[in-house]
Amino acid sequence: MNNVILKCVKIQKNFTSNGQNIQVLRGISIDVSQNEIVSIVGVSGVGKSTLLYILAGLDHPTDGDVLLEGKSLLGYNPKHLARIRNHDFGFVFQTFNLIPELDVLHNVMLPSLIAGVDSKDALERAKLVIERVHLEHRIHHDTTVLSGGEKQRVAMARALVNKPKIVFCDEPTGNLDEKISEDIFQLISELNRQDGTTFLVVTHDVNLAKKAHRIIRMVDGRIDQRDVLGQPSSIGRALHS
Ligand SMILES: Nc1ncnc2c1ncn2[C@@H]1O[C@H](COP(=O)(O)OP(=O)(O)OP(=O)(O)O)[C@@H](O)[C@H]1O
Ligand SMILES: [Mg+2]
């Protein structure tokens, strides 16, 4: 596969719960290409979120490695890893994780301020990215009064504000109705086409998953080999042609 941006090799993850060892990920290897949209599907509890957190450097595997542009994330100290998460990665959570005390604009500005961008530039960046997610009319709204779809757009804008190379989305449409879910996936496709951002999207919704360039199906802590070899779905091809 050309231009591999993110690679994981034989990822294993065990948790200990009540003295019991649970093997959640049992050797997962994936190559993600630059500019790709990859969906990750599988039944509840199979380890989708666990995998996404490990790929995004938010958790450590028990064994195996994660490489961003050929360099292991596991080799970085916590400060350097935090910098990579802030600059190179965006993360969209199912439950939005917006800061209720801040309006739309300030939620979106926050990652730039953390990155050390001065407040005037952070403001400009945030305004531009809020336009990209079509929320300019809500810029000074309290995030608590927004609809689910609007909140997810704010979360997407916040994930995008530092121009990440990869955006990880964990059930970005999990709390949204069908029409809004379609809109969020359209937005992902648009951002991927226009900016070349790579997306990894965990979803329960197989119809939405088919809109990605590639679907990875997790079964029993492993990847279903039939999908690893699979080609983009016809819907995916239509969307991205
Ligand atoms: N910190 C933890 N300690 C113990 N067990 C955990 C921990 N985190 C996750 N697990 C277990 O790992 C398994 C996979 O969890 P994970 O959240 O990755 O599943 P998922 O595929 O994302 O499920 P869902 O579709 O419901 O979100 C589950 O059985 C869960 O109980
Ligand atoms: Mg999950």
Side-chain angles (χ1 to χ4, degrees), residues 6-13 28 50-82 84-85 89:
L6 188 74
K7 185 182 183 74
C8 70
V9 189
K10 297 182 181 164
I11 294 289
Q12 296 193 28
K13 182 70 178 177
I28 293 203
T50 304
L51 176 64
L52 206 65
Y53 274 61
I54 290 172
L55 293 176
L58 292 163
D59 197 1
H60 284 278
T62 307
D63 202 2
D65 204 354
V66 181
L67 300 118
L68 173 67
E69 296 173 322
K71 290 191 193 127
S72 172
L73 287 186
L74 307 181
Y76 294 122
N77 64 37
K79 200 171 157 192
H80 195 154
L81 191 57
I84 288 176
R85 283 200 304 262
F89 293 166

Side-chain angles (χ1 to χ4, degrees), residues 118-213:
D118 74 56
S119 52
K120 192 163 158 275
D121 288 347
L123 180 78
E124 287 312 312
R125 273 194 199 190
K127 280 185 179 167
L128 284 176
V129 81
I130 288 167
E131 276 173 32
R132 297 294 308 280
V133 301
H134 316 297
L135 266 186
E136 53 274 35
H137 57 303
R138 296 280 183 269
I139 197 160
H140 296 300
H141 265 59
D142 213 335
T143 55
T144 51
V145 301
L146 298 178
S147 71
E150 288 171 340
K151 282 181 186 159
Q152 201 55 295
R153 283 172 187 276
V154 178
M156 191 68 81
R158 182 182 56 182
L160 291 165
V161 73
N162 286 343
K163 299 194 174 80
K165 294 173 180 162
I166 308 174
V167 176
F168 300 88
C169 304
D170 192 0
E171 303 276 4
T173 62
N175 288 322
L176 308 176
D177 69 30
E178 206 176 317
K179 167 74 177 74
I180 308 285
S181 300
E182 294 261 349
D183 288 351
I184 293 286
F185 246 88
Q186 277 296 339
L187 180 63
I188 288 172
S189 296
E190 193 181 302
L191 295 164
N192 167 262
R193 266 200 312 272
Q194 292 173 358
D195 301 347
T197 311
T198 303
F199 282 88
L200 259 86
V201 185
V202 164
T203 180
H204 271 108
D205 189 331
V206 175
N207 283 329
L208 286 179
K210 285 182 186 162
K211 297 189 176 192
H213 299 130

Side-chain angles (χ1 to χ4, degrees), residues 1 31-38 192 197-199 213-214:
M1 197 182 285
D31 284 1
V32 179
S33 294
Q34 228 164 7
N35 303 355
E36 211 181 3
I37 304 177
V38 177
N192 167 262
T197 311
T198 303
F199 282 88
H213 299 130
R214 183 157 58 112

